[in-house]
Amino acid sequence: MGQHVLKALESRQPEGPSVRHLLPILSKVVSLAPGTLREDQTNLLSKRLVDWLRYASIQQGLPHTGGFFSTPRARQPGPITEVDGAVATDFFTVLSTGQHFTEDQWLNVQAFSMLRAWLLHSSPEDPSAPDADDKSEMEGSTLSVLSATSTASRLLPPRERLREVAFEYCQRLIEQSNRRALRKGDSDLQKACLVEAILVLDVLCRQDPSFLYRTLSCLKALHGRLSGGLGCVRALLPLAQFFLDHGEAAAVDSEAIYQHLFTRVPSELFHSPMLAFEFIQFCRDNLHLFSGNLSVFKLNFPNLFKFLAWNSPPLTSEFVLLLPALVDAGTALEMLHALLDLPCLTAALDLQLRSLPAPSERPLWDTSLRTPSCLEAFRDPRFQGLFQHLLRTKASGTMERLTPLHRLLQPMASCARVAQCAEAVPTLLQVFFSAVTQVADGVLTNHLALLLLERSDALYQVPLYEAHVHRVLSSQFLALCKLKPSLVVELAKDLLEFVGSVSGIHSRASMLTSVVWAVGEYLSVTCDRRCTVEQINKFFEALEALLFEVAQSRPSATLPKCPPQVITVLMTTLTKLASRSQDLIPRVSLLLSKMRTLAQSPATGSVHSEEDSEAICTRATELLNLLKMPSVAQFVLTPSVEVCEPRYHRDTNTALPLALRTVSRLVEKEASLLPG
């Protein structure tokens, strides 16, 4: 296919079928099979592209006429004009306008559309080329001969000649983009062509460093012009890419570029889906280039989260890959708060758009949702501080409790965009904890665990959101305890306060279950030598009172039944604590007997299903049997580090199942010797 297309291009017939329909085919062939074309064929196409890009007609084409009444006295076509209506005084480009176009003008447009791909194909970057930091010497040596190069450009080989023409074309496009377009369609085309021109210039400078100094003054001026407003913000991304790619050789204040890019753009244009995707892609693609400016990148995570909050379904997978790079020990706690408040941020952004003095013609929010009370609260000076914290542009180092906002924004919890954002949070929390455990020290681990306890009852009430988030928080609390077993002893006071409150037990069942299990697993001298009998007794009393509370509570319309998992974990943890402080064994034995009797009573059938009651009864019986031999109970419920080694589970003479079978036989034998 490529050979046939090139043969048609070689013929260069002035009449006959147009070749412009063949260029997309050739571009596709080259992308699918880069080694298809020979050197002479590559040179041929480069020459053709030079002709089409630089020497297209600057007169408009003739209209298609025909029939009996057509006459040769038809009005002659006028000159090509610029987007602002002025007569063009330079060569034709894709931004030139007219009523009708000639064949070579159409080829000019198509040649520009495939130019970047062809440059990358015909002149791939040399892997042995000098690094950006070492280019300056070579660029300085070429600066003195630039004028000679430009005057003799017509004598260059086809590839170099194409680069020179591509450079001139892009320079002209940048000049044309500064004109005030008369039509909106031309204005949109200006922005798209400006982005493509910058990308082509980036390719040229990477392939031939002599272009860099010729490009810098133009792009610096362009950046200064674009930074003044947000009219062509999408061009700022390739501009920033250019300055990142060429490093110190560009001699640009990269700090100012990053600050403008990460501060103003996301906070004002978070609602643009295309910009959001391109912005996050830019961040992902350049993580290795931020180097010393990674702190700027990390500190602006609240602004990046605005893209996520507004465009969560399509951007979730992108943030799964980007989030680990944003996690930092200094901002981890603030970031966790921000992730948990992400649906609340979505609602606040919705209100921010609604409160703008001149909303867009097509509203970017759910018009079916009427929220006058929320809008009033958004404008209320009493809540301005909370809203400003939620909508901040960079990490502030402070953590505000946003519970008042959760109540104020409750009418917006049913908004579709808020619900979609809430669905993404559990996945992002998993990614966050996978990353933060790599950088967390002991102090940060304690603070993270406390934050999980604190936020378990301070979440924005979106349908199903609380249950899904609790599932993640509970599993991550256990992961933190496993990472640092001494955490339970160090946070004993806070954990006692948590389990001592029964107010939110039914909504926080999974979190409570994990905390109770962690107490039973890690509150021992084996995990932390600072553990005391007094601490064990305090936890025993708190958990004993909690077990009686949940076991005797009756479900109602406002108070659902307590899950049986909470009851069984409470019984198991109490038994573990008793095995470590054997004075408690009589109390826990009596408690387990009562729980078994309660589970078998007919009144319990109205609270728990038959299966749940049987599970509670079975667990109580198993624990009672273990407590009949305290030394064995301690061996089973609080195994030493040596017992946890794999050989105790492989060796049939020392395996834990053997110990359990021995206990069962002894208990059965003792029971058979009892009278009656």
Side-chain angles (χ1 to χ4, degrees):
M1 179 63 70
Q3 303 300 328
H4 286 301
V5 173
L6 283 165
K7 190 174 292 185
L9 292 176
E10 282 180 14
S11 64
R12 203 173 186 180
Q13 297 294 333
E15 297 180 359
S18 171
V19 297
R20 62 186 168 101
H21 303 295
L22 300 177
L23 288 182
I25 299 175
L26 184 61
S27 181
K28 192 67 175 178
V29 167
V30 168
S31 65
L32 293 174
T36 302
L37 304 184
R38 302 189 306 270
E39 181 75 13
D40 59 326
Q41 294 171 330
T42 300
N43 290 337
L44 171 67
L45 186 55
S46 294
K47 290 178 181 178
R48 293 290 182 270
L49 289 174
V50 167
D51 292 341
W52 295 328
L53 288 170
R54 189 64 180 81
Y55 303 111
S57 172
I58 58 171
Q59 294 293 318
Q60 296 189 36
L62 290 169
H64 294 288
T65 59
F68 180 79
F69 294 102
S70 62
T71 67
R73 290 180 172 271
R75 189 176 63 176
Q76 293 299 312
I80 289 294
T81 58
E82 303 287 2
V83 291
D84 59 359
V87 175
T89 58
D90 210 335
F91 61 90
F92 180 91
T93 71
V94 66
L95 284 178
S96 301
T97 61
Q99 294 294 321
H100 305 282
F101 296 101
T102 62
E103 183 65 22
D104 61 347
Q105 289 167 352
W106 283 115
L107 286 167
N108 177 287
V109 173
Q110 282 206 306
F112 178 66
S113 70
M114 65 177 290
L115 177 59
R116 182 158 54 103
W118 179 253
L119 287 171
L120 291 170
H121 164 75
S122 61
S123 305
E125 294 178 59
D126 184 2
S128 62
D131 294 334
D133 295 336
D134 301 327
K135 286 180 181 177
S136 56
E137 294 182 10
M138 180 169 56
E139 291 154 356
S141 65
T142 59
L143 191 58
S144 60
V145 296
L146 289 181
S147 58
T149 302
S150 60
T151 56
S153 61
R154 292 174 182 271
L155 304 177
L156 292 172
R159 289 183 184 177
E160 285 71 15
R161 173 65 176 147
L162 178 59
R163 288 180 187 153
E164 192 68 33
V165 169
F167 177 79
E168 294 174 3
Y169 197 101
C170 292
Q171 293 281 85
R172 172 137 164 77
L173 285 178
I174 292 174
E175 181 272 324
Q176 288 178 298
S177 70
N178 199 25
R179 294 176 177 268
R180 188 177 185 85
L182 300 178
R183 294 177 297 183
K184 186 180 183 303
D186 289 338
S187 177
D188 293 339
L189 184 61
Q190 279 180 304
K191 298 171 185 176
C193 290
L194 186 59
V195 170
E196 185 65 17
I198 297 169
L199 293 173
V200 170
L201 288 173
D202 190 19
V203 172
L204 291 174
C205 292
R206 281 188 277 127
Q207 292 180 346
D208 186 350
S210 66
F211 284 106
L212 183 55
Y213 283 109
R214 301 164 66 186
T215 304
L216 277 177
S217 59
C218 170
L219 292 190
K220 285 181 181 179
L222 177 63
H223 183 267
R225 173 162 63 90
L226 297 182
S227 299
L230 297 173
C232 191
V233 69
R234 287 179 63 188
L236 288 174
L237 292 176
L239 265 178
Q241 184 72 63
F242 180 91
F243 295 130
L244 276 172
D245 284 342
H246 299 288
E248 295 179 2
V252 174
D253 184 7
S254 57
E255 186 79 14
I257 294 174
Y258 301 145
Q259 287 291 356
H260 178 269
L261 199 62
F262 285 102
T263 303
R264 187 177 179 188
V265 174
S267 61
E268 297 186 30
L269 295 173
F270 59 86
H271 50 78
S272 171
M274 183 62 72
L275 176 65
F277 180 77
E278 290 178 352
F279 201 104
I280 301 306
Q281 280 285 94
F282 169 81
C283 294
R284 279 189 51 205
D285 294 342
N286 292 288
L287 284 175
H288 63 290
L289 294 175
F290 281 113
S291 59
N293 292 288
L294 200 59
S295 59
V296 176
F297 176 62
K298 290 181 175 181
L299 285 174
N300 283 278
F301 77 84
N303 240 7
L304 294 178
F305 279 9
K306 292 177 184 177
F307 282 133
L308 175 62
W310 195 260
N311 307 278
S312 54
L315 284 188
T316 300
S317 59
E318 299 297 320
F319 263 90
V320 165
L321 301 172
L322 181 65
L323 193 59
L326 291 171
V327 174
D328 183 78
T331 58
L333 296 175
E334 188 175 350
M335 183 177 291
L336 181 53
H337 275 292
L339 285 171
L340 292 171
D341 289 324
L342 209 58
C344 194
L345 174 60
T346 305
L349 292 173
D350 187 296
L351 292 177
Q352 180 179 327
L353 285 178
R354 292 173 189 257
S355 62
L356 290 177
S360 59
E361 295 178 4
R362 291 184 60 193
L364 302 169
W365 55 84
D366 185 358
T367 54
S368 64
L369 195 66
R370 307 296 180 187
T371 55
S373 60
C374 295
L375 273 173
E376 290 175 9
F378 186 76
R379 300 186 180 106
D380 193 327
R382 292 176 298 171
F383 305 112
Q384 282 298 304
L386 292 176
F387 276 111
Q388 287 173 3
H389 176 77
L390 185 59
L391 297 169
R392 65 196 182 281
T393 58
K394 59 174 60 178
S396 62
T398 60
M399 273 71 76
E400 295 278 351
R401 286 189 64 89
L402 299 180
T403 307
L405 289 191
H406 296 167
R407 292 192 293 268
L408 288 171
L409 299 178
Q410 193 56 45
M412 301 188 69
S414 59
C415 176
R417 195 180 294 274
V418 173
Q420 286 179 329
C421 178
E423 291 175 2
V425 173
T427 301
L428 296 168
L429 286 174
Q430 297 276 16
V431 175
F432 168 81
F433 278 103
S434 297
V436 78
T437 51
Q438 305 298 319
V439 299
D441 57 8
V443 176
L444 179 56
T445 302
N446 284 6
H447 285 311
L448 287 169
L450 287 174
L451 196 154
L452 296 183
L453 299 179
E454 173 193 341
R455 290 304 305 269
S456 62
D457 66 339
L459 296 173
Y460 189 36
Q461 298 296 311
V462 181
L464 301 179
Y465 176 62
E466 194 175 46
H468 293 162
V469 169
H470 279 169
R471 196 173 298 124
V472 177
L473 297 186
S474 59
S475 64
Q476 293 305 325
F477 180 83
L478 293 178
L480 291 175
C481 291
K482 185 176 182 181
L483 183 68
K484 185 186 177 185
S486 61
L487 183 148
V488 172
V489 172
E490 293 176 5
L491 301 182
K493 181 180 178 181
D494 301 280
L495 294 176
L496 276 170
E497 290 180 4
F498 182 82
V499 299
S501 170
V502 76
S503 58
I505 186 172
H506 300 89
S507 61
R508 295 186 290 167
S510 59
M511 192 68 195
L512 178 65
T513 302
S514 295
V515 170
V516 172
W517 187 90
V519 169
E521 189 71 11
Y522 300 109
L523 188 66
S524 67
V525 180
T526 307
C527 296
D528 193 333
R529 294 191 177 277
R530 294 171 294 177
C531 178
T532 62
V533 175
E534 182 183 1
Q535 283 181 325
I536 293 175
N537 290 339
K538 284 184 177 180
F539 270 101
F540 184 90
E541 291 172 0
L543 296 179
E544 182 184 37
L546 180 61
L547 179 58
F548 274 120
E549 186 83 25
V550 299
Q552 296 178 359
S553 63
R554 291 290 178 264
S556 63
T558 58
L559 188 67
K561 72 172 184 177
C562 178
Q565 292 83 357
V566 175
I567 297 175
T568 55
V569 169
L570 278 167
M571 292 192 300
T572 304
T573 296
L574 286 168
T575 306
K576 288 180 179 180
L577 296 179
S579 69
R580 296 163 198 165
S581 178
Q582 297 192 0
D583 292 342
L584 299 173
I585 289 180
R587 285 176 64 180
V588 78
S589 297
L590 179 62
L591 176 64
L592 292 172
S593 299
K594 289 182 177 180
M595 291 303 303
R596 182 169 60 179
T597 303
L598 187 63
Q600 293 172 336
S601 66
T604 309
S606 61
V607 180
H608 298 289
S609 65
E610 183 179 348
E611 184 179 350
D612 292 345
S613 299
E614 185 178 350
I616 295 172
C617 183
T618 302
R619 177 63 59 90
T621 303
E622 292 171 348
L623 296 173
L624 277 169
N625 288 339
L626 270 178
L627 288 175
K628 289 181 179 178
M629 301 191 69
S631 57
V632 177
Q634 188 172 10
F635 172 76
V636 173
L637 298 174
T638 312
S640 62
V641 177
E642 294 78 12
V643 173
C644 294
E645 291 180 359
R647 70 184 186 87
Y648 277 92
H649 301 274
R650 296 188 186 127
D651 190 345
T652 56
N653 296 319
T654 58
L656 189 60
L658 175 65
L660 290 173
R661 284 196 299 271
T662 304
V663 172
S664 298
R665 292 195 194 99
L666 290 173
V667 169
E668 290 170 1
K669 182 177 180 181
E670 182 181 348
S672 64
L673 294 175
L674 294 175

